[in-house]
């Protein structure tokens, strides 16, 4: 029996719960630390406690999926605000050397972020000085990198000089010094790959762009990967909160000796070439990395595989991509270069051929494309898809829907049981309820129509958190009744884990019915 250990990036559901929920679809068990050992947003995890947990439980484990950011800093947010020395960082990650020495056969799949540079003036997840200087620091990094690579035009030179005068030197020094320590750790971890301590490494790019600190550090890492001759063991691509799901899928494929082949189809001819918002490369390049990371492969023809990945893609890029805004305010390309009708017909055709059809909804940011979802509803296709995601960034969506598609395809081809089918459908429905229901509809409704009455706002709900959570639960159940033709679906324990409107946690319970009984035969 394969024992699989998992140390998540942080305590939020996307990192702590999603991979475990995926594991419940399989006959494998994913073992996670007790929630009490993890942190809470800016409060770091109990790193020494996690080290003890790892040493005790990895002695007889076959696999370890590990977030280096959790192992060293205590989570993703603590990685941005810590005051550890370089030596302390190295000492903490060296526990992986101990684990490998105690258990030489263990396969360690690690992921380690390049420290992000947020472009907004909020200190909620950043150092305190970000409240006043966040955007200026982002611009400083952008112009510093651009100057080194290709030079600045006169207007940019003036802006650059003003930034140097405006940003207090102690704040800039604090930010840059922390980056240096995090970068040193990233390079040290590459050496652990070269030495065989780590089986594979993924370096996710969190909120990155064409120029800036992250772009520069990514290039340096790529050069070092080449020098160490480990490019066959390292992937660098946009993502963060999706890595637990992707690496569990990778381990699943390794255990099962499964090589899933995936055919990809876009809603827009331009879609594969667009650079999504918050990312630095074309959508298709990211998608290729995501599929490889999860253990799959892209093939050329739909008739050669049972897995069809439909990608609802934008036809514009970067800051022109739509957020959760009214349809008629979107960029013009959403009306002329995205063929929704043809996309729907293609989904019908593939379903008619008995294919497992999954939908990566990345046309807009931070939630579903509600226009597309309404078309799927009108065509009675909502309950026919194998997997779905449409949350936050393009990378987050791809890194959630692809692993589910792979696992679903394995069991639909090789047989399953009613309990596993129930778990599979619950994972799918959870994405519909959260990405379409909450992120696409309910969240904006509450922000615009209810928070002002409660004297609250997007980031300020602590004083009315329970009231807001009850309101969210009520509106989500209304969404389910109006949009999902499903009996016996119950939503409970709604929680806003970081006391803001961005992410949500809830439990979803489904009783099997005739609607889903046929899916196991697809």
């Amino acid at each position: 029996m394969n024992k699989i250990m998992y140390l998540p990036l942080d305590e939020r559901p996307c990192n702590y719960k999603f991979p475990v929920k995926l594991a419940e679809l399989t006959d494998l068990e994913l073992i996670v630390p007790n929630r009490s050992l993890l942190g809470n947003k800016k409060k770091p995890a109990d790193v020494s406690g996690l080290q003890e947990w790892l040493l005790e439980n990895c002695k007889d484990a076959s696999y370890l999926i590990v977030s280096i950011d959790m192992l060293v800093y205590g989570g993703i947010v603590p990685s941005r605000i810590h005051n550890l020395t370089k030596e302390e960082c190295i000492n903490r990650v060296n526990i992986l050397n101990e684990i490998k020495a105690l258990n030489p056969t263990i396969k360690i799949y690690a992921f380690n972020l390049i420290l992000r540079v947020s472009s907004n003036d909020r200190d909620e997840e950043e150092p305190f000085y970000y409240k006043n200087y966040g955007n200026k620091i982002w611009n400083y990094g952008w112009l510093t990198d651009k100057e080194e690579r290709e030079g600045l035009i006169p207007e940019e030179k003036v802006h650059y000089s003003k930034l140097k005068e405006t940003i207090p030197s102690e704040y800039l020094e604090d930010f840059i010094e922390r980056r240096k320590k995090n970068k040193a750790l990233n390079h040290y971890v590459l050496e652990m790959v070269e030495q065989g301590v780590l089986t594979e490494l993924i370096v996710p790019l969190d909120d990155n762009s064409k120029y800036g600190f992250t772009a520069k550090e990514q290039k340096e890492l790529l050069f070092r990967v080449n020098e160490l001759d480990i490019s066959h063991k390292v992937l660098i691509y946009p993502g963060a909160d999706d890595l637990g799901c992707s690496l569990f899928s990778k381990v699943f494929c390794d255990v099962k000796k499964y090589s899933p082949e995936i055919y990809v189809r876009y809603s827009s001819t331009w879609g594969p070439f667009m650079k999504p918002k918050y990312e630095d490369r074309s959508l298709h390049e990211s998608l290729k990395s995501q599929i490889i990371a999860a253990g799959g492969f892209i093939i050329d023809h739909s008739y050669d595989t049972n897995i069809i990945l439909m990608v609802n893609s934008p036809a514009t890029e970067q800051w022109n991509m739509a957020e959760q805004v009214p349809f008629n305010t979107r960029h013009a390309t959403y009306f002329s270069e995205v063929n929704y009708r043809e996309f729907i017909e293609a989904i019908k055709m593939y379903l008619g051929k008995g294919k497992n059809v999954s939908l990566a909804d990345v046309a807009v940011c931070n939630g579903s494309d509600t226009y597309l979802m309404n078309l799927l509803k009108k065509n009675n296709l909502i309950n026919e898809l194998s997997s779905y995601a449409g949350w936050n960034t393009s990378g987050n969506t791809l890194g959630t829907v692809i692993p589910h598609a792979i696992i679903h395809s394995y069991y639909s081809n090789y047989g399953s049981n009613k309990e596993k089918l129930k778990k599979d459908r619950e994972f799918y429905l959870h994405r519909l309820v959260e990405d379409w229901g909450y992120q696409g509809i309910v969240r904006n409704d509450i922000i615009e129509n209810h928070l002002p009455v409660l004297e609250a706002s997007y980031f300020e709900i602590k004083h009315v958190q329970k009231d807001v959570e009850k309101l969210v639960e009520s509106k989500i159940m209304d969404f389910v009744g109006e949009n999902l033709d499903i009996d016996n679906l119950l939503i409970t324990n709604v929680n806003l884990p970081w006391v803001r409107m961005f992410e949500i946690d809830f439990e979803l319970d489904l009783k099997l019915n005739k609607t889903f009984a046929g899916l196991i035969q697809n």
Side-chain angles (χ1 to χ4, degrees):
M1 186 66 179
N2 291 285
K3 183 178 180 181
I4 306 169
M5 307 297 298
Y6 172 51
L7 186 64
L9 178 60
D10 65 26
E11 72 283 0
R12 287 173 298 160
C14 54
N15 292 308
Y16 189 65
K17 285 188 173 182
F18 288 9
V20 174
K21 295 291 186 183
L22 279 178
E24 290 175 353
L25 313 185
T26 75
D27 57 358
L28 305 179
E29 182 181 9
L30 191 64
I31 302 171
V32 295
N34 190 286
R35 175 66 181 77
S36 63
L37 290 174
L38 303 183
N40 184 19
K41 204 173 180 177
K42 283 191 171 183
K43 179 185 177 182
D46 178 359
V47 172
S48 62
L50 291 173
Q51 289 177 334
E52 292 176 8
W53 177 80
L54 285 169
L55 287 170
E56 177 62 29
N57 289 279
C58 286
K59 289 185 291 188
D60 59 345
S62 300
Y63 297 89
L64 169 61
I65 300 169
V66 56
S67 162
I68 301 296
D69 294 275
M70 173 60 80
L71 180 62
V72 174
Y73 312 115
I76 187 172
V77 174
S79 76
R80 303 167 188 161
I81 59 176
H82 72 88
N83 290 306
L84 298 170
T85 65
K86 173 185 171 182
E87 290 71 27
E88 287 174 317
C89 294
I90 299 299
N91 286 338
R92 287 184 174 188
V93 80
N94 274 336
I95 192 174
L96 297 179
N97 290 317
E98 294 183 48
I99 289 170
K100 190 68 174 178
L102 289 169
N103 183 358
T105 62
I106 192 172
K107 293 183 178 180
I108 303 177
Y109 291 82
F111 58 105
N112 187 27
L113 276 67
I114 293 179
L115 183 62
R116 83 168 186 179
V117 187
S118 179
S119 62
N120 58 57
D121 287 329
R122 288 199 300 269
D123 64 350
E124 188 194 14
E125 298 180 34
E126 315 294 337
F128 70 92
Y129 48 79
Y130 237 76
K131 187 173 184 179
N132 298 312
Y133 297 100
N135 184 255
K136 291 181 175 64
I137 290 172
W138 184 88
N139 275 289
Y140 176 87
W142 173 284
L143 294 172
T144 299
D145 186 32
K146 188 172 187 289
E147 181 184 48
E148 291 179 4
R149 281 205 254 170
E150 58 191 59
L152 303 177
I153 62 175
E155 293 86 348
E156 289 173 328
K157 289 180 180 179
V158 172
H159 188 199
Y160 193 32
S161 296
K162 288 182 178 178
L163 287 172
K164 291 178 181 178
E165 297 172 359
T166 304
I167 304 172
S169 59
E170 64 269 26
Y171 296 162
L172 194 57
E173 181 180 346
D174 174 80
F175 185 80
I176 291 174
E177 284 302 310
R178 186 174 295 108
R179 295 202 71 86
K180 287 180 179 178
K181 289 181 284 190
N182 288 31
K183 183 175 77 169
L185 178 67
N186 285 0
H187 282 262
Y188 184 80
V189 170
L190 291 182
E191 293 176 7
M192 297 176 75
V193 177
E194 192 269 339
Q195 294 161 5
V197 176
L198 304 183
T199 305
E200 289 195 25
L201 173 70
I202 296 178
V203 181
L205 305 172
D206 183 18
D207 285 8
N208 60 309
S209 55
K210 182 178 180 180
Y211 300 108
F213 290 107
T214 57
K216 181 179 180 180
E217 290 166 22
Q218 177 192 173
K219 183 172 64 174
E220 292 170 354
L221 275 178
L222 282 168
F223 292 163
R224 186 59 178 152
V225 167
N226 182 60
E227 289 173 358
L228 295 173
D229 193 23
I230 54 173
S231 59
H232 59 300
K233 295 182 177 181
V234 179
L235 279 172
I236 303 176
Y237 63 86
D241 297 324
D242 44 283
L243 265 294
C245 292
S246 292
L247 285 176
F248 174 75
S249 177
K250 180 75 170 181
V251 168
F252 174 84
C253 290
D254 190 49
V255 171
K256 299 296 184 180
K257 309 302 179 189
Y258 183 46
S259 299
E261 298 176 340
I262 300 174
Y263 178 71
V264 180
R265 200 177 195 281
Y266 291 87
S267 61
S268 170
T269 304
W270 287 2
F273 313 106
M274 297 297 101
K275 289 187 179 69
K277 201 171 185 177
Y278 313 117
E279 300 184 3
D280 70 337
R281 65 197 64 192
S282 66
L283 174 57
H284 195 66
E285 285 302 322
S286 288
L287 187 143
K288 287 192 290 185
S289 292
Q290 290 276 3
I291 288 178
I292 289 294
F297 305 89
I298 295 176
I299 62 170
D300 298 329
H301 303 288
S302 62
Y303 54 77
D304 288 332
T305 183
N306 195 36
I307 310 175
I308 307 296
L309 181 63
M310 303 295 291
V311 182
N312 182 33
S313 53
T316 186
E317 60 181 19
Q318 298 291 308
W319 302 110
N320 284 326
M321 277 186 64
E323 295 274 354
Q324 294 301 320
V325 296
F327 184 70
N328 60 3
T329 64
R330 293 181 182 181
H331 189 268
T333 54
Y334 282 91
F335 314 122
S336 60
E337 296 292 340
V338 180
N339 196 321
Y340 287 98
R341 173 69 183 275
E342 192 274 344
F343 194 63
I344 293 290
E345 294 300 321
I347 290 174
K348 288 181 182 178
M349 184 272 293
Y350 289 126
L351 288 170
K353 292 181 180 293
K355 303 289 187 180
N356 285 310
V357 180
S358 297
L359 175 57
D361 194 356
V362 297
V364 301
C365 300
N366 293 308
S368 298
D369 181 346
T370 54
Y371 184 83
L372 172 67
M373 301 309 291
N374 286 329
L375 283 177
L376 288 170
K377 176 186 169 184
K378 285 181 181 296
N379 284 271
N380 299 314
L381 296 174
I382 294 293
N383 293 333
E384 303 301 315
L385 300 177
S386 298
S387 60
Y388 173 85
W391 67 285
N392 205 9
T393 68
S394 171
N396 293 153
T397 286
L398 294 173
T400 305
V401 68
I402 292 167
H404 186 198
I406 287 172
I407 292 168
H408 177 91
S409 72
Y410 179 88
Y411 286 102
S412 66
N413 288 336
Y414 294 93
S416 187
N417 57 55
K418 288 184 178 181
E419 183 58 31
K420 294 301 181 186
L421 176 61
K422 176 178 183 292
K423 295 289 186 182
D424 179 273
R425 291 292 85 194
E426 285 177 342
F427 191 91
Y428 170 70
L429 289 168
H430 198 289
R431 299 271 36 90
L432 288 180
V433 172
E434 182 172 347
D435 303 354
W436 180 19
Y438 179 69
Q439 295 191 32
I441 300 173
V442 171
R443 180 168 59 190
N444 279 351
D445 175 21
I446 292 177
I447 291 168
E448 293 176 9
N449 301 314
H450 298 274
L451 292 189
V453 178
L454 296 169
E455 297 184 349
S457 62
Y458 192 99
F459 294 104
E460 299 291 337
I461 62 168
K462 187 175 182 179
H463 60 297
V464 289
Q465 183 175 356
K466 293 300 180 184
D467 293 332
V468 174
E469 288 168 350
K470 288 180 181 178
L471 185 60
V472 169
E473 183 173 320
S474 173
K475 287 184 174 290
I476 283 179
M477 287 306 300
D478 288 343
F479 162 82
V480 169
E482 294 169 6
N483 295 281
L484 305 181
D485 183 20
I486 299 168
D487 299 325
N488 303 319
L489 178 63
L490 186 63
I491 306 294
T492 58
N493 299 325
V494 170
N495 175 249
L496 301 168
W498 276 8
V499 198
R500 61 185 187 182
M501 297 300 295
F502 188 69
E503 55 272 292
I504 187 176
D505 187 17
F506 59 89
E507 296 299 323
L508 182 150
D509 184 59
L510 169 72
K511 291 184 179 180
L512 285 176
N513 57 31
K514 292 181 180 179
T515 304
F516 298 118
L519 281 173
I520 197 171
Q521 301 171 358
N522 286 352

